[in-house]
Amino acid sequence: MSDPFDDFPGFEPAAPRAGGGIAACALAAMHGGAPDFLSALNPEQRAAVETTEGPVLVLAGAGTGKTRVLTARIAHILAQGLARPHQILAVTFTNKAAREMRERIGALIGGEAEGMAWLGTFHAISTKILRRHAELAGLKSNFTILDTDDQIRLLKQVLRAENIDEKRWTARTLAFLIDNWKNRGLSPKTVPAGEAGAFANGKGGALYALYQERLKILNAADFGDLLLETLRVFRENPDVLREYQGRFKYLLVDEYQDTNAVQYLWLRLLAQRQAGAANEITPAQKPNLCCVGDDDQSIYGWRGADVDNILRFEKDFPGAKVIRLERNYRSTGHILAAAAHLIAHNRDRLGKTLFTDGEDGEKPEVSGVWDSEEEARVIGEEIEQLQRKGHSLDQVAILVRASFQMREFEERFITLGLPYKVIGGPRFYERLEIRDALAYLRCTAQPADDLAFERIVNTPKRGLGEASLQIVHDHARRQRIPLMQAARILIETEELKPKQRSTFRALLSDFDRWASQIGQKPHHELAEQILEESGYTDFWKQDKSAEAEGRLENLKELVRSMEEFPDLGAFLEHVSLVMDADAADGGERVSIMTLHGAKGLEFETVFLPGWEEGLFPHQRSLDENGRAGLEEERRLAYVGVTRARRRAKIYFATNRRIHGLWQTTTPSRFLDDLPAAHVQVTENRASGSGYGAYAQSRFANMDAFGSRYDTPGWKRAQQNGPGGRAPRTIEGEVLGKSSPGSAFSPGDRVFHLKFGPGAVAAVDGSKLTIDFDKAGRKLVLDSFVEKKSS
DNA sequence: TTTAGAGGTATTTTT
DNA sequence: TACCTCTAAA
């Protein structure tokens, strides 16, 4: 967010300013000639832009000009004088999307886009609202926003205080649970009893409540709170809600298929414009709500996104207009046909069929390779060939299902000298050194920030270990004061050892000195000084490991990036919401990223490796979510294929190393979902074992889900593995030896390297519940146990 | 307080 | 296999 601290613009519409882009556009409209941004649209897009009143759902297929519609719609609303910039609420999921939208609106209508104070992510907008009304949520308006790391540290404290065995019940698991509840709009009070009891023998709900209490004491909110607490403020304070309902004349939501329950509720409340007391939308008060999305590209279900939100839109908002954008401007005919055929296998969808007037182009190509190493080699060769033909590497991407697949490509490309970039690697602000540096800044600017203080109190090592910190902790807890304040008191007593006492004293006086300079000298210079004087820079300078240099470089980059912000506070706000920094990149590079990361992007040529059962669709998705999981995986495949403009190349390997073990794999069932007429199957020399004929595989005529992944081949692939490393021989041996269908079944006697002998109690895919003779009941993977013939 | 080794685990990721 | 986290010993 670019303007976290700006003031609320007044409610009264500002007088139109002369000379701006708006006036010019409006003028053009009046004279009959539509402004450029309208005339460039096709009829459906234009309808989506011009249907400004009432609820509208725009189902925008991949590559149909979704962003163009959204931005044109906003430009249109402004140009028509239907609303002022600050009366439009435009919500996105990522900062990147928000930034892009702002830029594109700016390009259409000029500087007026600057006035769009309410264009941002759900989280950024919620933060803005929550800061305004913090006291209604039990916070102060300068509350800190905790990231996942802080959150887990805090949860650990809660668990420890409650004497809960952290091995059995990890903070991570609890964080996951709480996040889940928050995503669904549940407060500690409203968590269903059954679920609350699922953690730590029934303490889940209580722990959630305790955690929330701790957050309030710390004057902090986690990401989930930003939405949930705002929702609470709205619900408990009708006057506040009404204020915002009245303010937003037009609401727009991007990627609506990705909304979760809280976001939906949040939106729904805001959309009920001055509705009466009841939760009803009377016809006269239909909200001017425009949601844009694509149910076929919903790939974040595991994160709480609820496809139902988009599937239900017409019921939720009676009288809604649904506009389908199906004309694709991105891909050639064969690619589109392949993608359409693939996604048609999903049941839960609203149904769209993309088409293009363009040429058919090249058919997507499917090739089998022996293993992942060959996969990387073949793809590397293909890319070099493209390069020789003059294709830009910027237009080439490799989209993988899981990030471990990236490594093989990186290694191959390094030996080839092929420039590449990995997108979606570790984020700038999540790096260790950056988080440490930020903790120093947070402590300086917000002395009550306990989590930041804890983080750096002994970084670099200064002899303030767990023992002395515990003393400070105890005191802080007893007095209900922040850690730093507690330390301040304790250094005047005998409770700490003399050495630690003087170290604390020195550290605190450092912070005092730095704090006194806030506002006195430019904040980026202050930051540099803090890092220098605290010994943090030296700490890395002395580190001789390979990364140290890069880390110092990152610290410099951090200081540099601070210059763009007006003050320290603004910078910290930016960081907590935008865990993202633009990396400048020079030169053309092949992009390597996950399928998830590729959503919204497009490339001339797309390589899609790893289309094998177990990896894609991912076994875990299948195990945990059954058909819904499979359909989400298929949507992911659809997203992958539709990223390609001209060339899509799909690969499956016969052997893949998973967790260090070689496994024989089965080609992905998604290959069977591709239409033969639009796909080119390449018989690769390496796929010798006849997998090239997958098109007529046993899956082809099966319609019942469920029977598909317990076929003999699949089971064999699952069992394969222990006992060797040379893939080629393993393949022969295992295929020869193992009798098909020899999966574990309840009652089998087994032997586990660590737990010893036991009996299988239950089988769940590759997961076995085993009653061990000595170690008791455990859940283990079948690849870790050996079957004993009894 | 630090560090070496054991143990456990193993998608996807934004805010 | 490979990584990360936590525990036990110096």
Side-chain angles (χ1 to χ4, degrees), chain A residues 63-130:
Chain A
T64 55
K66 179 194 68 158
T67 312
R68 166 180 283 207
V69 164
L70 266 174
T71 51
R73 185 178 165 96
I74 291 173
H76 179 69
I77 289 168
L78 292 173
Q80 293 293 308
L82 296 171
R84 305 292 309 152
H86 62 268
Q87 293 171 320
I88 299 175
L89 176 73
V91 205
T92 64
F93 276 83
T94 64
N95 292 295
K96 193 175 152 215
R99 213 180 308 136
E100 208 176 292
M101 203 186 292
R102 188 178 294 276
E103 276 163 21
R104 289 182 61 169
I105 297 170
L108 291 182
I109 60 162
E112 207 72 13
E114 303 294 320
M116 296 226 16
W118 300 98
L119 186 167
T121 63
F122 274 104
H123 294 268
I125 290 170
S126 285
T127 304
K128 197 163 175 172
I129 295 173
L130 198 54

Side-chain angles (χ1 to χ4, degrees), chain A residues 93 122-123 227 258-268:
Chain A
F93 276 83
F122 274 104
H123 294 268
L227 285 153
D258 288 339
T259 46
N260 62 31
V262 218
Q263 286 157 345
Y264 167 76
L265 293 168
W266 185 99
L267 204 63
R268 209 188 144 108

